Amino acid sequence: MRQWTVDAFAAAPFRGNPACVVEPFEAWPDAAWMQALAAENNQAETACLLRTPDRARFGLRWFTPALEVPLCGHATLAAAHVLFAELGAPAGTLTFDTHSGALTVVRAEVGYEMDFPAQPPVRTAVPEGLAEALGVDPVEVWASSYLVAVLPDEAAVRALEPDLAALNRIAGEATGGRGNIGVAALADAGAPYDVVDRFFAPGSGIPEDPTTGSLHCILAPLFAAKLGRPTLRFHQAFPGRGGDLVCAHRGARVMLAGNAVTVIESRLRL
């Protein structure tokens, strides 16, 4: 089988977020096998695809090195890129059947646009110990599938060196889920984006994720309401890489747009 490594939410290699995408299966392998492959790949996500009789529709599952996750934006973008750019999918729209429902990806004028479920957060009290774990006092804290801390400014987001073990515990207790947390702030004046953010995912076996589509299903409705407009540019400021997304909040859905670049094609001897 072939496998590709794709930098998602990136217009050039070595930016955005890498994901491995395996050539589509005819039937799902055992979940433990897919998890073992993801651990071997040791990227934030490995995307596994399943063929269906419809050439524009595929099953899709996502695995971190530690566990299977219910939603992943950058690996969905990477999977669509492989199908379009590497395997010559003839359709202009692809549909993926996932644990989060049907997700669609269309070829846009530049890159791809994904249709994902919005996950609007609810404002919550600052959990005990969060400021100490972050090393900065959050201005606001919001909860959805992930915890989100709004910080005073872009410099505070970029300077973070948090206590990941403490974040794992605090975020897990606050959301009743995995110990993952996003941080965000309005961008500096004159920046080519509206919001800067980062995402720490120790609860998913990822200390910090370079660019995270699912986080922006929370951030898009939050900052669309704050700024009074539905379409915003986000920059995820992972040190040394960084990824860029354009997000449009449309009621119960969020449109996530970005580019992708294939950096490795490999063959699995399995």
Side-chain angles (χ1 to χ4, degrees):
M1 294 180 299
R2 288 178 293 173
Q3 178 176 270
W4 294 265
T5 304
V6 175
D7 286 346
F9 297 116
F14 314 131
R15 296 187 61 79
N17 199 356
C20 294
V21 181
V22 186
E23 188 170 7
F25 297 106
E26 301 298 330
W28 285 124
D30 183 76
W33 186 92
M34 292 187 283
Q35 185 62 71
L37 176 61
E40 181 80 7
N41 285 330
N42 200 31
Q43 295 289 356
E45 303 287 344
T46 293
C48 295
L49 292 160
L50 179 69
R51 292 191 189 277
T52 76
D54 183 345
R55 294 180 65 193
R57 195 174 195 110
F58 294 83
L60 176 59
R61 294 168 71 178
W62 310 278
F63 294 82
T64 78
L67 76 166
E68 184 173 5
V69 295
L71 185 67
C72 179
H74 88 276
T76 302
L77 185 67
H81 172 76
V82 163
L83 291 168
F84 282 132
E86 305 296 341
L87 296 177
T93 301
L94 295 172
T95 301
F96 297 106
D97 295 312
T98 79
H99 290 313
S100 292
L103 307 175
T104 60
V105 182
V106 300
R107 275 191 275 211
E109 185 174 338
V110 177
Y112 310 95
E113 185 177 78
M114 304 188 295
D115 182 349
F116 270 42
Q119 298 180 343
V122 175
R123 189 166 181 180
T124 186
V126 178
E128 184 177 353
L130 180 60
E132 291 77 11
L134 290 172
V136 62
D137 288 322
V139 177
E140 300 170 358
V141 175
W142 298 75
S144 179
S145 53
Y146 308 137
L147 202 65
V148 171
V150 178
L151 300 188
D153 51 34
E154 180 170 338
V157 171
R158 291 184 177 275
L160 278 187
E161 295 182 4
D163 180 337
L164 293 178
L167 287 186
N168 187 5
R169 175 184 56 79
I170 294 165
E173 291 174 352
T175 62
R178 289 169 284 152
N180 299 338
I181 180 169
V183 296
L186 294 177
D188 291 343
Y193 42 84
D194 302 296
V195 180
V196 63
D197 56 77
R198 291 171 70 184
F199 184 60
F200 302 94
S204 295
I206 306 165
E208 181 173 0
D209 196 38
T211 315
T212 314
S214 57
L215 171 66
H216 293 83
C217 294
I218 302 170
L219 296 182
L222 174 61
F223 281 93
K226 286 181 175 296
L227 295 176
R229 48 192 168 91
T231 302
L232 301 170
R233 292 183 176 272
F234 290 84
H235 177 69
Q236 191 160 333
F238 182 86
R241 292 186 72 99
D244 298 290
L245 309 85
V246 178
C247 303
H249 181 217
R250 299 177 183 171
R253 311 295 294 181
V254 171
M255 311 306 291
L256 306 172
N259 217 323
V261 180
T262 303
V263 294
I264 300 172
E265 180 178 354
S266 53
R267 187 170 297 276
L268 301 177
R269 294 187 176 186
L270 301 172

